[in-house]
Amino acid sequence: MSNMEEQAREARAEAALTALISRCLLRPSLEFAEEVQRGEVADAFGEMLRDCPDEKVVAALGELRAFCEEAAGSAPNDARLMLETDFNRLFVGPGTLLAVPYESFYKTMKDENGRGHLRGPSEQQVAACYALNGFKMPDHFVDFADNIAIELEFLGVMADKEADAFLAGNEEEATAIRNAAEAFREKHPMSWIGEFAHDVRSGARRAFYPAIVTIAEQTILRS
């Protein structure tokens, strides 16, 4: 395998992991709940991270699998409700959100004595970065650009584009894409994932979302 083929393989693996984490942070559908019940989500993470030595990741994978096994004993819609109840509790409401899934909230908290708000300058910067790189908000998602799931989806798309460029033999283009993605990763999701993940782990009643944000924090968004 050539060096560019190996780099393409690594980028494709990163894209797959990032896309899966992103999908797990979207509102859970019945189809997704059934995949969780069948163990497909846990199996996919386990395969992608089988060589990861990080103890926090290993623990998160164990907690994720235990949740999937618990959900397998429920009717599909009950499994969806197990996920959606925690999803709403953390990310949607009603009431005070326990883990606000928007970058602007965490960025403005630092400027306004803990009173974060949405649609701040960072959301505009994220949207501009998407436009610059030809990324459009997904059709299934009507929300602000700086939602954690969409920031991750963007990184997954960029990793796929990087892999395509390497496979086409265009190392210069692949490197440019990688550099753009890395700049976005550091300025945006990596700058607030720690606080967000802490809030998810503190507020969740079930293991699914804490496991997902721990995996994200310790792998693709690790500093």
Side-chain angles (χ1 to χ4, degrees), residues 109-189:
M109 277 183 67
K110 298 174 182 177
D111 300 331
E112 301 183 15
N113 298 318
R115 299 183 62 183
H117 61 80
L118 306 183
R119 307 304 299 269
S122 59
E123 190 261 348
Q124 299 169 12
Q125 294 168 9
V126 167
C129 191
Y130 293 168
L132 182 64
N133 290 279
F135 176 78
K136 295 182 179 180
M137 290 282 285
D139 292 338
H140 60 74
F141 197 85
V142 181
D143 210 327
F144 306 141
D146 60 341
N147 183 288
I148 185 63
I150 302 307
E151 290 192 357
L152 291 170
E153 185 162 340
F154 170 71
L155 286 174
V157 169
M158 291 290 278
D160 261 333
K161 290 172 65 175
E162 178 189 338
D164 290 342
F166 274 125
L167 290 175
N170 194 333
E171 186 171 10
E172 182 176 350
E173 180 182 357
T175 300
I177 293 168
R178 177 188 294 170
N179 290 342
E182 188 58 32
F184 178 88
R185 186 194 321 270
E186 291 182 3
K187 184 174 182 178
H188 295 291

Side-chain angles (χ1 to χ4, degrees), residues 17-45 64 67-68 71-72 75-84 87 91 208-209 212:
L17 176 59
T18 308
L20 181 57
I21 295 171
S22 171
R23 186 169 179 238
C24 288
L25 292 172
L26 294 172
R27 178 176 294 280
S29 64
L30 181 60
E31 178 186 7
F32 180 75
E34 290 173 337
E35 291 176 28
V36 169
Q37 285 186 296
R38 292 192 296 266
E40 294 172 9
V41 173
D43 287 346
F45 275 116
L64 179 60
F67 174 86
C68 294
N77 196 54
D78 289 340
R80 181 189 65 79
L81 288 173
M82 289 170 64
L83 290 164
E84 188 168 44
F87 182 90
F91 311 135
F208 184 83
Y209 292 108
I212 297 303

Side-chain angles (χ1 to χ4, degrees), residues 83-96:
L83 290 164
E84 188 168 44
T85 298
D86 237 15
F87 182 90
N88 289 339
R89 171 181 169 79
L90 292 167
F91 311 135
V92 180
T96 302

Side-chain angles (χ1 to χ4, degrees), residues 35 95 103 105 120 159 188 199 206 211:
E35 291 176 28
E103 178 180 331
F105 178 83
H188 295 291
D199 289 346
R206 296 185 180 274

